[in-house]
Amino acid sequence: MAYTYEFPRPALTVDCVVFGLDEENLLKILLIQRNLAPFENQWALPGGFVRIEESLETAARRELVEETGLENVFLEQLYTFGSCDRDPRDRVVTVAYYGLVNLWEYRLKAATDARDTRWFAVADLPPLAFDHEAIVQLALTRLKGKVRYEPIGFELLPEKFTLTQLQRLYETILEQELDKRNFRKKILKMNLLIQLDEYQTGVSHRAARLYRFDPEKYRNLKKKGFNFEI
Amino acid sequence: MAYTYEFPRPALTVDCVVFGLDEENLLKILLIQRNLAPFENQWALPGGFVRIEESLETAARRELVEETGLENVFLEQLYTFGSCDRDPRDRVVTVAYYGLVNLWEYRLKAATDARDTRWFAVADLPPLAFDHEAIVQLALTRLKGKVRYEPIGFELLPEKFTLTQLQRLYETILEQELDKRNFRKKILKMNLLIQLDEYQTGVSHRAARLYRFDPEKYRNLKKKGFNFEI
């Protein structure tokens, strides 16, 4: 089969920067090892060509499942990268997405399309194929900006978490220490957390109380003009 | 000439939501009237097909010049719209940009490619072609969010402006009244404005002092971790 057009068309792909936070509070990114040229054997973001009959987000989710087994991820569009020389084969424009995954409860399934799939610490990434380093940098900047004004950080935590876990998450992403008293005051004052009658288990120190984020309450408050802010 | 590919490819376009603020503090958007089907004679965002040898932003700037005469505009990528049915002719994915223009000093040149070019008040837009209404809505949301955390609002003002003009701009975009004393305190405390030894001319009331935004100072402060906030 061949497809013919009056004017030349760039190829269109999607790429996903999926973030996870591990139990030691390391921020990680999911990479795949390419098994085809160009950049064969090099690490890259999961992604691939957009099919003619699927939307951009559908393509991103399909590629994530095919290449990493990841399903039902929090996913938002990041930016579209379209400089003329970003792929040595052809003019390829890519719509980048970023995703957030709770690594506490998540385990990698066997990858199908890719040679290998692995979580890498953001501070220790291997050299990446194409312009994927620039895409990762922009995703980091977006994450850092967005966690302060939207409650997306909870996507990186298990459903039930301690206030210390939540603070560590913010400290890791914002790359700065936060004052414990101020942080707790700020977060509790917004009234978005449900205090549970449950405590941590399996810890050697005093078990801390568990909380849950209330997304419905946030949606209602937001409609009334409320601004989330850390 | 014809171009043949192994797999079908969507067509790729760019579209621009250009905002201007007029002397009566009305927020406006630049629209063109289409002279070709589909949606012939209907109003639409300026934009068009990305050429194979140009980057996305180059395409957006070229289309703006060709269709509206606008040059050297503040322009940022907004979002890429790619649902399968957004264009009745073909699968077309569009990378949307938003721009900010100082309407005080700007005048529309004669359009070439479009039947007519006109500024419309945001509150009083005509029905738009394709999914351009959704693109405009997202641009408005982005502008509203972004003016609070980045000093992009100055792009809508003349180089020299009064504090009242600046406050009106924020009130218009944020759609809320601001307390004059608080607003001035906040904006002056950030030390980003240069107080000039010049005053308004041609006003019937007492002439107010003029200020200028200092972008270099902002860049330096930002490097040191400063966050703009209104």
Side-chain angles (χ1 to χ4, degrees), chain B residues 8 17 21 29 31 41 56 59 70 86 90 98 119 121 135 142 146 151 163 175 180 193 200 228:
Chain B
V17 185
L21 197 75
I29 289 177
L31 297 177
N41 295 326
L56 303 173
L70 263 187
R86 52 177 303 284
D90 192 359
Y98 75 99
W119 290 96
I135 300 179
R142 180 75 58 90
K146 204 139 188 176
L163 294 180
E175 296 181 278
K180 181 174 162 179
L193 300 188
Q200 273 182 309
F228 180 87

Side-chain angles (χ1 to χ4, degrees), chain B residues 19-20 22 25-31 103 118-126 136 140:
Chain B
F19 292 104
D22 78 1
N25 264 295
L26 264 179
L27 190 63
K28 294 188 162 176
I29 289 177
L30 187 58
L31 297 177
L103 270 188
R118 207 183 295 170
W119 290 96
F120 285 86
V122 163
D124 202 18
L125 294 179
V136 167
L140 278 166

Side-chain angles (χ1 to χ4, degrees), chain A residues 1-12 49-57 76-84 90-91 93 95 97 142 148-149 227-229, chain B residues 1-12 49-57 76-84 90-91 93 95 97 142 148-149 227-229:
Chain A
M1 250 326 246
Y3 297 85
T4 302
Y5 306 102
E6 193 185 347
F7 296 101
R9 295 186 173 188
L12 191 67
F49 292 94
V50 176
R51 294 187 187 153
I52 203 72
E53 78 290 350
E54 69 186 355
S55 74
L56 303 172
E57 189 176 320
E76 278 196 352
Q77 203 187 95
L78 175 65
Y79 196 80
T80 298
F81 292 76
S83 61
C84 297
D90 192 359
R91 176 82 198 273
V93 172
V95 184
Y97 283 79
R142 179 75 59 89
R148 293 188 58 209
Y149 307 115
N227 286 318
F228 181 87
E229 198 169 336
Chain B
M1 248 330 241
Y3 298 85
T4 302
Y5 306 102
E6 194 185 346
F7 296 101
R9 296 186 172 188
L12 190 67
F49 291 96
V50 176
R51 294 187 186 154
I52 203 73
E53 78 292 349
E54 68 186 357
S55 74
L56 303 173
E57 188 175 321
E76 279 195 351
Q77 204 186 96
L78 174 66
Y79 196 80
T80 298
F81 292 76
S83 61
C84 298
D90 192 359
R91 176 81 197 274
V93 171
V95 184
Y97 284 79
R142 180 75 58 90
R148 293 188 58 207
Y149 307 115
N227 286 318
F228 180 87
E229 199 170 336

